[in-house]
Amino acid sequence: MKFEKDLKVPDSIPQVGIEQAIKLMETGKLYRYNFSTNFEEDSGRKIIDRELASEVAKLESEFSSYTGHKYAIAVNSCGSALFLSLKAAGIEFQDKVLTNAFTFTAVPSSIVHAGGIPLYVECNQQYLIDLEDLKSKIEANPDVKFFVLSHMRGHISDVDAIQEICNQAGIYLIEDCAHSLGSQWYDDKIEKHVPVGHHGQISCFSSQSYKLMNSGEGGFVATDDEKIAAYCILAAGSYEKLYKKHISRPFDEGLFESLKPEVPNFSLRMTNLTAAIIRPQIPTLSEKISQYQQNYNQLANILATVDNLSVPSPLERVKRVPDSIQFNLVNFTSKQAEEFLRQTGSRGVTMQIFGHMDNARYFKNWKYSFEDLPALEQTEQIVSFACDLRLPLSLNVEDINLIGYIIKDVIYKIVASENRIDYKEGLTDNFQDLDEVVSKYDKWVSFYDEEHHNNGWKILLNHFAYTLNSYLKADDKILDVGCGTGLLAKELSSYNLQNLHGTDISKESLKLAEKLNIYQSLSVGELGKKLDFADNTFDAWVSSGVFTRKQVPLNAFEELNRILKPNGLIMVAFRVEDDDYYYNKIKEYCNQNILEEVWKTRLGVLKSCNHDLVILRKIGNP
Ligand SMILES: *Cc1c(COP(=O)(O)O)cnc(C)c1O
């Protein structure tokens, strides 16, 4: 199965923004200072008629209200905002500036642009600043004065701890919030979440197409510091008395006039056209954010069942805005990682690995910023297997399921292709009696899951769960027949099927299933005998690896049909080598109009999962 939507697609511009942009073009007033009104202070009262302000001036005022900063200055990119921030903070030629080793090239570039020398800090397994490394870098470089902390991909480091470390060392903290607009940090003093971007003296934002707001290009400096604000307004390109056209500014003419001769004009202004298309996006942010969070949580839940993949967990105090997902491939070789990218890509799920020689987020590609390659072994190790996948707003629940399915399918296939072993201990021959079945399974328990992960059985379970999910609702009551250690249920619950009940003959297996905490109930049950459930109890029963090698008598189907609701579903896997022993019985039921086959596929990938997967609907009773 292939994913067909474009994952690179940016968010569209709200209609109001498009219309406002056209109006502006008709008047030709695209320059932010084309609007002639000055905003003055009259005996302590600010005289502001917002209607007369330019789009950019209005946007700055609205943006700063959103982020909770006193002042915002709109510029042409976040890279420019970072550059301006460093200049405003007083950087001098060849000053050292701490920053993340895991970030985007625009960040060290802005430091180089401002004349500084980046000093990279390692990230940890969760893609956050390694605080120990930060401390030792500061100790080794007592002359370092600045830290540009990048909330890369919206991963928020421990900003309280970082703020404390910076305060102690007299380091000026600037936050790169390009990818963290809308993110929140739990402030334990006021016991509330507050917007991220208030731990440093300056925060910088982006409205480049792949951020939460899209204007193609655009950025903001946000600060509570009057002098910084005045500097940035002037340096961004406000000359003579143009600063008076800003709504979001310190109303202190003396401050501007005294700074003016000292501040170069770097011409980094935002145009009215850009502001016009950003403004109507601000009221849409909270809805966008919850959509991003929903999609992300859904995908993270699907991926949580994969042993070879780890999704970084945010700090408890953080509410992220995840418009993309990152995860690490675990115990993969570089070759396997390449293969993973190739196979997912060819099925439409295009990803990148940060630590690629062509990736702008890999520090080794920032040669412009160092003479000798810095030793950053930890970051190197992490980014070499860190995958990055965009989750644009156009994705719906089904899209996320399909993406999750494809990622898991590829991983399971890669793992299985290197482990072409069949079962060590498991089931080889037909059974003599029930005792043999029970003792076999009880003994198998200790390496059952690992064996099934390695030999490709999970390819089947993933396909099984993904398909069944499209036929059922989240709260449909499902009986997992011969549930064993819960491998199938894990996959089912990853696709959000919640109302799961299990039954099995092996008590040892049930003990492990219990530990998963995903079943509503578990019980010992012998197939072919009476089961302890009332008639018409379940919306579906499912079973994999059970109806095989004649270990269950054929009459088990009758009892299972009894406890299934009318129109209820059966999804069951039959081993191809079993000479259709069970499948023939099912076909008999179909001929008698007791069951109806609704879907069937053959998974012939590997010997271990060479199975027919069948979905049937209950019509009547035998
Ligand atoms: C996009 C991005 C930038 C650069 O923003 P521009 O507006 O393109 O200059 C900087 N830092 C991070 C973390 C980003 O994601």
Side-chain angles (χ1 to χ4, degrees), residues 346-392:
S346 74
R347 291 168 74 176
V349 182
T350 320
M351 270 174 268
Q352 51 178 348
I353 283 187
F354 289 115
H356 255 190
M357 272 334 277
D358 202 25
N359 195 310
R361 296 147 203 90
Y362 186 28
F363 63 87
K364 282 195 176 168
N365 296 327
W366 309 333
K367 268 202 177 135
Y368 60 81
S369 74
F370 49 75
E371 269 170 29
D372 301 317
L373 184 67
L376 295 160
E377 280 140 36
Q378 191 175 308
T379 305
E380 164 94 40
Q381 175 58 32
I382 291 161
V383 298
S384 300
F385 294 96
C387 302
D388 186 29
L389 171 67
R390 274 197 89 225
L391 299 174

Side-chain angles (χ1 to χ4, degrees), residues 209-226:
S209 281
Y210 290 148
K211 315 291 156 119
L212 194 58
M213 301 193 301
N214 170 20
S215 61
E217 300 284 356
F220 299 86
V221 178
T223 183
D224 293 336
D225 184 310
E226 306 210 334

Side-chain angles (χ1 to χ4, degrees), residues 204-243:
C204 298
F205 296 84
S206 175
S207 58
Q208 185 266 346
S209 281
Y210 290 148
K211 315 291 156 119
L212 194 58
M213 301 193 301
N214 170 20
S215 61
E217 300 284 356
F220 299 86
V221 178
T223 183
D224 293 336
D225 184 310
E226 306 210 334
K227 198 163 163 219
I228 295 288
Y231 181 100
C232 290
I233 287 170
L234 295 169
S238 143
Y239 44 91
E240 296 158 359
K241 298 271 189 272
L242 292 175
Y243 60 84

Side-chain angles (χ1 to χ4, degrees), residues 600-618:
K600 184 187 169 204
T601 193
R602 176 165 290 187
L603 279 183
V605 209
L606 291 165
K607 189 164 174 248
S608 54
C609 55
N610 192 10
H611 276 65
D612 287 322
L613 287 183
V614 190
I615 297 183
L616 303 132
R617 190 185 305 284
K618 169 175 172 178

Side-chain angles (χ1 to χ4, degrees), residues 77-79 103-104 106-107 150-153 176 178-179 206 208 211 217-218:
S77 75
C78 180
T103 185
F104 179 56
V107 180
S150 180
H151 304 308
M152 178 61 171
R153 286 293 187 270
D176 166 22
H179 226 139
S206 175
Q208 185 266 346
K211 315 291 156 119
E217 300 284 356

Side-chain angles (χ1 to χ4, degrees), residues 397-579:
V397 174
E398 286 75 35
D399 294 329
I400 297 288
N401 282 339
L402 181 54
I403 289 172
Y405 163 74
I406 290 173
I407 292 174
K408 292 213 279 200
D409 193 47
V410 171
I411 289 194
Y412 292 150
K413 280 177 180 159
I414 288 174
V415 171
S417 71
E418 307 246 323
N419 296 285
R420 284 185 178 276
I421 44 154
D422 211 350
Y423 302 99
K424 269 190 289 205
E425 176 70 11
L427 312 172
T428 47
D429 253 324
N430 292 349
F431 289 99
Q432 299 304 315
D433 55 31
L434 185 69
D435 285 348
E436 197 191 335
V437 177
V438 175
S439 85
K440 199 86 174 183
Y441 277 100
D442 278 351
K443 262 199 288 181
W444 202 358
V445 157
S446 61
F447 47 92
Y448 188 89
D449 286 16
E450 193 196 339
E451 209 169 277
H452 282 74
H453 178 72
N454 287 332
N455 72 8
W457 184 245
K458 284 203 162 183
I459 301 169
L460 182 144
L461 297 183
N462 180 39
H463 195 77
F464 197 120
Y466 171 74
T467 308
L468 188 69
N469 179 62
S470 65
Y471 285 88
L472 294 175
K473 296 189 296 297
D475 57 352
D476 277 347
K477 195 165 181 175
I478 302 170
L479 181 64
D480 184 359
V481 175
C483 64
T485 58
L487 280 182
L488 173 57
K490 261 210 275 191
E491 291 296 331
L492 293 173
S493 78
S494 82
Y495 289 99
N496 205 30
L497 295 167
Q498 308 269 311
N499 196 353
L500 301 171
H501 303 260
T503 182
D504 201 277
I505 189 82
S506 157
K507 289 186 185 125
E508 293 304 313
S509 302
L510 286 172
K511 279 185 202 158
L512 290 192
E514 178 97 57
K515 284 195 190 142
L516 297 177
N517 269 327
I518 49 179
Y519 287 103
Q520 306 294 313
S521 77
L522 284 167
S523 55
V524 185
E526 185 185 336
L527 296 171
K529 298 266 168 62
K530 179 137 175 54
L531 295 171
D532 200 12
F533 299 107
D535 296 356
N536 308 333
T537 302
F538 293 99
D539 295 292
W541 68 258
V542 299
S543 186
S544 68
V546 174
F547 293 95
T548 181
R549 303 177 203 268
K550 305 193 178 158
Q551 58 179 345
V552 175
L554 280 176
N555 71 349
F557 289 122
E558 258 174 57
E559 179 64 0
L560 288 167
N561 209 48
R562 177 185 70 77
I563 62 175
L564 189 62
K565 287 181 189 169
N567 286 318
L569 291 181
I570 298 169
M571 185 162 189
V572 59
F574 298 114
R575 207 165 65 100
V576 173
E577 290 156 55
D578 278 336
D579 304 328

